[in-house]
Amino acid sequence: MKEEFEFYIRHSTEINKRYSGKHIAIVGNKVVASGDSAISVLKKAKKMYPKKKPVLTYVPEKDTLVLILHA
């Protein structure tokens, strides 16, 4: 999961532009599936990479505020 997280951070500008408002699946260093439903994205990713654990995330739209709370 570390590799996928680092990929997302390094390429966040391009990912945000291309996948705004979509669910995405990342395997290794690439986005392998995207769509409106997390379940459909997971199914696509697992079909393409059955032995891998894809990392799923939602790419917020441009005007979405994301709050992170630290305990």
Side-chain angles (χ1 to χ4, degrees):
M1 186 161 121
K2 182 180 176 188
E3 180 181 12
E4 288 85 1
F5 179 73
E6 289 175 355
F7 168 79
Y8 184 83
I9 297 300
R10 279 193 318 273
H11 299 282
S12 61
T13 301
E14 302 96 62
I15 290 170
N16 289 337
K17 285 180 185 175
R18 184 166 181 189
Y19 300 106
S20 177
K22 300 286 184 184
H23 294 272
I24 63 170
I26 302 171
V27 173
N29 286 319
K30 67 180 180 177
V31 176
V32 298
S34 67
D36 295 325
S37 160
I39 293 172
S40 68
V41 169
L42 178 60
K43 286 179 181 179
K44 288 179 202 174
K46 290 300 283 179
K47 186 174 184 179
M48 294 170 64
Y49 296 91
K51 295 183 180 185
K52 301 279 187 171
K53 282 183 103 174
V55 173
L56 298 180
T57 189
Y58 177 76
V59 181
E61 294 181 11
K62 182 180 177 185
D63 296 329
T64 301
L65 175 65
V66 178
L67 297 176
I68 300 173
L69 303 175
H70 294 277

